[in-house]
């Protein structure tokens, strides 16, 4: 029976990034993916500012930004104008147009380079867990692992087998999506009876999105080109030929959130943990956010360095984030459907105000994520990528996190010998006058911030909570 430390079901964005994070920490990691190769179609084309900020902490954002197309606002549904990102709390004040397939290629290469194993054409069918690990059944044998991560989509076998509830609301409507060739103009195309469809340009083809006026009783009924053609013709009141279909699919506005992100030695991430309307193009981004939060915590648990309860904070932090994502996406759909209703008009006026625009942009993209809601403005938030001087060399804060280890950033030279068990980096910065030192979690979020005059008060407790039971000064 093959053995690994962590078995991951699913080689989508969540599974690939999680594998890379685990392998970075030296954890034996195997992905099993039921498809023999990456699907030829592309589900999404957007990385938001939050995802780029996170990927930058591992040195992965720069290459993607160089390849993609920058858009200076956040994708949003239901508002007539853009949510600009120029003043948002981010190092990347733009959305990046880049195919999800390319993002997956980069993450897969990263995971493989770090030693993870990816087995395509291997479908996880069932599993049992005990006090020491998980025995998983795939189509051609068994795997024994210490932990199992379900990154296997909205119909997750892992979630179902673990008995984790998936409460929420069923879809009220469905839309068809087709990657085809046609002669329609780009953007929203108005039809008859107030209906419309959307035409999105792609290299060599277009993506058409149109609401289904009479969805089938079984939402899993395959979408055909004739079906898409009939819906487009019905909206336009005329025939515009659709040709050369590349991908045809159906989606709805269902919204569901797993009751638990952890059940013993089983964890969920990405669509396995939550499904929601596609408003705000948030899907791949929240999957990456889940994986980035889980990776270092699970690695520390496997390696035996984690504090008691560290792995449980994954559910605590990301389940709350999932609740916000569902609320945000459903609110955007409601805005779109409300049209000229007074409260919809109120939201549009809020978005037109600079402060309201910034707040909504940060909410929609997850830039408002804060895991410690009280204390220094940096506490619980992703530390900004401020410029630093370390040993006479110019660098940035994000570069300190490439190794995936926690870092105590010493900005006053008073913490240099504080502990030999964590990375202490002495640096200076023109952007940090109100903070003497910060403890950075491996995901870049601030676990502790020392302000002028406070010394090391609270630092030892933060280290024990987020790093583990490591030697710290008695006076810490």
């Amino acid at each position: 029976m093959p053995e690994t430390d962590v078995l991951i079901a699913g080689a989508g964005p969540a599974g690939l990034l999680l594998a890379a994070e685990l392998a970075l920490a030296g954890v034996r990691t195997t992905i099993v993916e039921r498809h023999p190769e990456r699907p030829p179609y592309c589900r999404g084309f957007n990385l938001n500012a939050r995802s780029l900020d996170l990927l930058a902490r591992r040195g992965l954002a720069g290459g993607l930004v160089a390849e993609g197309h920058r858009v200076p606002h956040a994708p949003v549904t239901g508002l007539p104008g853009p949510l600009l990102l120029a003043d948002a709390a981010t190092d990347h004040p733009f959305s990046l147009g880049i195919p999800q397939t390319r993002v997956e290629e980069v993450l897969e290469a990263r995971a493989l380079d770090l030693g993870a194993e990816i087995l395509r054409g291997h479908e996880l069918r069932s599993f049992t867990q005990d006090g020491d690990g998980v025995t998983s059944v795939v189509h051609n044998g068994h795997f024994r692992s210490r932990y199992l991560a379900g990154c296997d989509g909205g119909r997750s076998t892992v979630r179902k087998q673990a008995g984790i509830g998936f409460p929420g609301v069923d879809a009220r409507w469905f839309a068809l999506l087709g990657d085809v060739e046609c002669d329609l103009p780009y953007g929203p195309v108005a039809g008859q009876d107030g209906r419309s469809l959307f035409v999105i340009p792609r290299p060599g083809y277009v993506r058409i999105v149109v609401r289904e006026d009479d969805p089938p009783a079984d939402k899993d009924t395959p979408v055909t080109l004739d079906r898409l053609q009939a819906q487009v013709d019905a909206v336009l009141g005329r025939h515009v030929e659709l040709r050369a279909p590349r991908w045809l699919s159906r989606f709805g506005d269902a919204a569901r959130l797993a009751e638990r992100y952890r059940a013993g030695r089983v964890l969920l991430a990405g669509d396995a943990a939550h499904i929601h309307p596609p408003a705000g193009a948030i899907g791949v981004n929240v999957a990456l956010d889940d994986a980035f939060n889980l990776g270092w915590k699970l690695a520390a648990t496997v390696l035996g360095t984690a504090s008691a309860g560290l792995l449980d904070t994954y559910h605590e932090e990301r389940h709350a984030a999932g609740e916000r994502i569902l609320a945000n996406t459903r609110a955007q759909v409601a805005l779109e459907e409300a049209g000229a209703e007074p409260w919809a008009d109120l939201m549009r006026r809020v978005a037109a105000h600079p402060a309201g625009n910034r707040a909504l942009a940060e909410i929609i993209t997850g830039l408002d994520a804060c895991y410690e809601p009280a204390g220094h403005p940096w506490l619980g938030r992703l530390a900004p990528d401020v410029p630093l001087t370390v040993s006479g060399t110019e660098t940035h804060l994000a570069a300190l996190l490439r190794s995936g280890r926690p870092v105590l950033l010493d900005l006053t030279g008073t913490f240099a010998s504080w502990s030999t068990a964590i990375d202490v980096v002495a640096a200076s910065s023109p952007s940090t006058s109100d903070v003497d030192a910060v403890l950075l979690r491996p995901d870049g979020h601030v676990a502790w911030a020392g302000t002028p005059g406070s010394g090391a008060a609270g630092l030892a407790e933060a280290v024990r909570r987020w790093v583990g039971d490591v030697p710290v000064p008695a006076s810490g």
Side-chain angles (χ1 to χ4, degrees):
M1 184 185 301
E3 293 188 359
T4 189
D5 288 327
V6 178
L7 184 68
I8 299 173
L16 291 169
L17 180 57
L18 178 58
E21 287 292 285
L22 292 167
L24 178 63
V27 173
R28 294 179 304 161
T29 305
T30 302
I31 296 178
V32 289
E33 166 57 52
R34 65 186 181 91
H35 292 292
E37 57 186 25
R38 187 177 296 111
Y41 52 82
C42 185
R43 292 184 178 276
F45 292 85
N46 172 73
L47 284 181
N48 67 20
R50 166 77 174 176
S51 290
L52 293 170
D53 286 351
L54 293 174
L55 293 171
R57 272 60 185 167
R58 298 293 186 265
L60 295 173
L64 293 169
V65 170
E67 293 183 32
H69 175 66
R70 302 187 191 193
V71 179
H73 54 79
V76 66
T77 299
L79 294 174
L83 292 178
L84 298 175
L85 289 161
D87 297 324
T90 176
D91 309 321
H92 299 84
F94 50 86
S95 300
L96 187 71
I98 191 167
Q100 179 176 324
T101 48
R102 179 56 184 148
V103 176
E104 291 178 0
E105 288 175 358
V106 170
L107 295 177
E108 180 171 329
R110 166 81 167 180
L112 292 173
D113 286 347
L114 292 169
E117 182 180 28
I118 301 176
L119 302 176
R120 295 188 179 273
H122 288 62
E123 181 178 8
L124 185 143
R125 294 180 174 177
S126 64
F127 66 86
T128 56
Q129 63 170 312
D130 52 51
D132 297 318
V134 183
T135 301
S136 299
V137 179
V138 296
H139 76 282
N140 59 350
H142 296 72
F143 271 91
R144 181 67 177 173
S145 61
R146 296 179 63 184
Y147 288 88
L148 170 65
C151 302
D152 50 343
R155 301 177 184 180
S156 170
T157 297
V158 173
R159 185 189 65 241
K160 294 173 183 176
Q161 290 270 333
I164 297 175
F166 203 39
V169 296
D170 292 332
R172 297 170 300 129
W173 51 259
F174 289 94
L176 300 181
L177 179 154
D179 288 343
V180 298
E181 296 176 10
C182 71
D183 299 321
L184 287 169
Y186 300 153
V189 180
Q192 56 185 4
D193 300 327
R195 298 182 66 195
S196 65
L197 54 85
F198 208 81
V199 182
I200 306 167
R202 296 297 177 220
Y205 65 97
V206 298
R207 172 164 291 181
I208 290 181
V209 179
V210 59
R211 288 268 189 109
E212 253 183 321
D213 56 4
D214 57 341
D218 182 1
K219 63 181 177 60
D220 295 326
T221 301
V223 179
T224 64
L225 181 61
D226 287 343
R227 176 65 175 172
L228 179 64
Q229 182 75 70
Q231 293 295 298
V232 170
D233 290 352
V235 170
L236 298 179
R238 57 189 176 90
H239 180 73
V240 175
E241 184 182 1
L242 308 182
R243 307 178 300 274
R246 288 166 169 79
W247 181 40
L248 303 172
S249 185
R250 174 184 288 109
F251 64 87
D253 68 334
R256 296 187 176 278
L257 182 66
E259 290 179 338
R260 296 171 288 158
Y261 280 24
R262 179 188 181 190
R265 291 180 175 268
V266 177
L267 301 114
L268 305 176
D271 289 351
H274 39 68
I275 60 172
H276 45 77
I282 196 70
V284 65
N285 298 284
V286 68
L288 295 176
D289 216 338
D290 287 348
F292 211 69
N293 187 288
L294 174 59
W296 66 277
K297 296 174 180 178
L298 182 54
T301 302
V302 169
L303 296 173
T305 62
S307 60
L310 178 65
L311 191 54
D312 288 329
T313 68
Y314 169 63
H315 166 83
E316 294 164 5
E317 294 181 344
R318 294 309 302 166
H319 189 271
E323 290 178 330
R324 293 192 296 272
I325 292 297
L326 263 64
N328 295 346
T329 52
R330 295 184 69 193
Q332 289 177 67
V333 171
L335 275 175
E336 182 180 43
E337 294 176 343
E341 291 184 15
W343 68 272
D345 179 66
L346 173 63
M347 289 302 298
R348 295 186 182 100
R349 286 188 282 125
V350 170
H353 189 283
N357 190 285
R358 171 178 174 170
L360 288 175
E362 292 181 355
I363 290 170
I364 294 299
T365 56
L367 288 170
D368 64 335
C370 181
Y371 298 138
E372 296 283 350
H376 188 275
W378 285 16
L379 189 62
R381 297 184 179 276
L382 189 67
D385 191 21
V386 295
L388 299 173
T389 301
V390 180
S391 300
T393 300
E394 300 298 318
T395 185
H396 282 76
L397 183 144
L400 305 182
L401 296 160
R402 297 282 177 89
S403 67
R405 288 175 49 81
V407 172
L408 178 60
L409 178 60
D410 178 9
L411 296 164
T412 60
T414 58
F415 294 83
S417 59
W418 190 80
S419 176
T420 59
I422 59 176
D423 294 342
V424 180
V425 178
S428 61
S429 173
S431 306
T432 56
S433 59
D434 66 335
V435 62
D436 286 348
V438 291
L439 177 63
L440 301 170
R441 304 182 345 177
D443 60 5
H445 283 259
V446 176
W448 171 86
T451 54
S454 66
L459 177 54
E461 179 183 354
V463 168
R464 292 189 181 100
R465 179 183 179 190
W466 296 110
V467 180
D469 188 16
V470 301
V472 298
S475 61

